[in-house]
Amino acid sequence: MEPLHQPTSCKTEDHHHHYLQNPSSSGSPRTTTLPTPTCCKCGAPTPMAAPPPSFSDISPPPNYRPIRAPAINLPPNPNSQQAIILAPVPQPLSVPQISPPYHFQAPSKIIQAPDDLRRFHDSFSGKHFLGFVAALSDSIRAKKISDPCHESTTIATIVSILQTLIQWVDEIPPTKQAARYGNVSFRSWHERLSQTSDSLMLQFLPEHLHASTIEIVPYFTDSFGNPSRIDYGTGHETNFAAWLYCLARMGVIKEEDYPAVVARVFVKYLDLMRKLQLVYCLEPAGSHGVWGLDDYHFLPFIFGSSQLIGHKYMKPKSIHNDDIVENFSKEYLYISGIEFIKKVKKGPFSEHSPLLDDISGVPNWNKVNSGLLKMYKAEVLEKVPIMQHFLFGWLIKWE
């Protein structure tokens, strides 16, 4: 078969090699009929084979795909690392309670620029939300998941709700499709969640707080991933923490519930999220590649490192002992996170998880915990691509 005719004005052997211009870049990604490939330098036809369609018709792409290329495989910025080291450790704060009259409202997205982030972190809401995360971490210090703790009927109901969401995954099996990431059945699961969220909230809300569903449901439904992009990341995890913070603001969750919030509610939430990630192949949202702490989660490592503070035998370097990881993953969130990573990622741990590998060299869990709290503020709560999706209403006010 003869190659395509090359115009005389373009002699590839004289001055340049032909680089394939992707003809689909200017059209719809759903188009399967591609025009003749052309050289991206001179525009001439090229004998190179046309690339396959970017996405199959079985699983058409969402309108927006997260652009993560600049972050992938780039080592952390030394300046930002130094800023994290010098930053103060976030301290636990009591959650301020609301009182009547209530002005619940549908929350909305507000953060668009770094200046908005600074305003949020200097605000009452920003300080107390971070203080709530630090308080949850402090509440589980030196405690195992199986340790007895105060479990209110509210906590038991929330755990039951999360168990129901886990059962839905079994009822909505993944669709057979060619795409590696983003099984479209996740949209069916999420649609059922959206349709029933109000009634799920009413299972544990006292009657005088029923009107709060207009405000707390959006946080809840956005805690399990995005149905359009079929992805999940630390922003969704932060929404779950914000939903819990809203419940604490209303007094539905009290300080004596905090150990159970971590050891019962958050553990069940993690069970659900890992099942969703594996069954529906959720794409990591805004992942930093190997230079991120984890593709999907951050909070389990904060809470888990707090659990291990003062442990007689387990040190940060113990994550490299497979027997320890296997035997203690059910009791410690940090070890559970390591086990899950080792299960889903192949190759040397130091290559696919260099940040966690570096942390394993820290001498004690207290330093790991304080460092992760500072890192959570800097790498999650101070990042516009994540926090632009954060919601503000009456319970978490924009000030």
Side-chain angles (χ1 to χ4, degrees), residues 320-331:
H320 300 296
N321 184 317
D322 289 342
D323 287 338
I324 286 178
V325 170
E326 183 181 351
N327 291 325
F328 291 96
S329 62
K330 300 285 190 294
E331 291 287 13

Side-chain angles (χ1 to χ4, degrees), residues 13-296:
E13 64 271 22
D14 291 344
H15 60 94
H16 74 268
H17 295 290
H18 268 205
Y19 298 91
L20 188 64
Q21 177 74 40
N22 186 350
S24 65
S25 60
S26 60
S28 167
R30 300 189 187 203
T31 304
T32 54
T33 304
L34 298 175
T36 304
T38 56
C39 174
C40 64
K41 285 195 172 184
C42 64
T46 174
M48 293 179 67
S54 299
F55 301 90
S56 69
D57 288 333
I58 303 171
S59 176
N63 292 328
Y64 165 79
R65 301 294 288 181
I67 300 171
R68 298 193 308 278
I72 291 178
N73 290 333
L74 290 179
N77 184 331
N79 294 331
S80 65
Q81 283 184 309
Q82 186 67 14
I84 293 172
I85 291 168
L86 297 175
V89 180
Q91 296 300 313
L93 291 175
S94 296
V95 175
Q97 304 287 295
I98 60 167
S99 56
Y102 304 130
H103 302 288
F104 300 119
Q105 63 186 67
S108 58
K109 300 174 184 179
I110 293 177
I111 292 174
Q112 295 180 338
D115 284 345
D116 297 331
L117 278 176
R118 283 188 283 273
R119 181 172 167 179
F120 170 61
H121 285 290
D122 289 339
S123 72
F124 178 91
S125 293
K127 289 173 181 174
H128 280 86
F129 175 65
L130 183 58
F132 172 67
V133 172
L136 289 178
S137 171
D138 196 56
S139 74
I140 200 73
R141 180 184 292 245
K143 294 174 183 171
K144 299 198 296 274
I145 289 172
S146 65
D147 283 351
C149 60
H150 170 71
E151 293 183 56
S152 66
T153 54
T154 298
I155 294 295
T157 305
I158 293 172
V159 171
S160 172
I161 288 169
L162 292 171
Q163 183 59 44
T164 299
L165 303 190
I166 289 174
Q167 290 169 358
W168 290 356
V169 181
D170 297 327
E171 296 169 15
I172 304 171
T175 304
K176 289 184 179 179
Q177 60 182 48
R180 177 187 168 197
Y181 276 119
N183 194 282
V184 293
S185 289
F186 176 67
R187 292 175 182 152
S188 303
W189 181 92
H190 202 281
E191 185 179 2
R192 187 186 291 189
L193 171 74
S194 299
Q195 290 170 350
T196 58
S197 285
D198 282 66
S199 60
L200 293 176
M201 299 301 104
L202 296 180
Q203 288 184 26
F204 61 84
L205 285 175
E207 191 171 348
H208 69 284
L209 292 173
H210 280 190
S212 68
T213 54
I214 189 176
E215 185 157 346
I216 67 171
V217 162
Y219 289 103
F220 186 73
T221 55
D222 206 24
S223 297
F224 307 98
N226 184 285
S228 299
R229 299 189 298 269
I230 316 184
D231 65 5
Y232 174 88
T234 49
H236 301 106
E237 181 186 68
T238 297
N239 269 328
F240 189 71
W243 176 72
L244 293 170
Y245 177 75
C246 289
L247 299 185
R249 286 270 283 146
M250 296 189 292
V252 176
I253 288 175
K254 300 174 172 59
E255 281 198 30
E256 61 262 30
D257 294 319
Y258 285 7
V261 168
V262 178
R264 304 293 179 267
V265 173
F266 197 79
V267 166
K268 185 61 71 173
Y269 170 72
L270 268 181
D271 289 345
L272 168 60
M273 285 320 310
R274 285 172 181 159
K275 184 157 190 169
L276 290 171
Q277 288 154 19
L278 291 174
V279 172
Y280 299 130
C281 303
L282 303 188
E283 186 169 3
S287 167
H288 286 255
V290 299
W291 292 106
L293 185 69
D294 177 77
D295 281 343
Y296 298 106

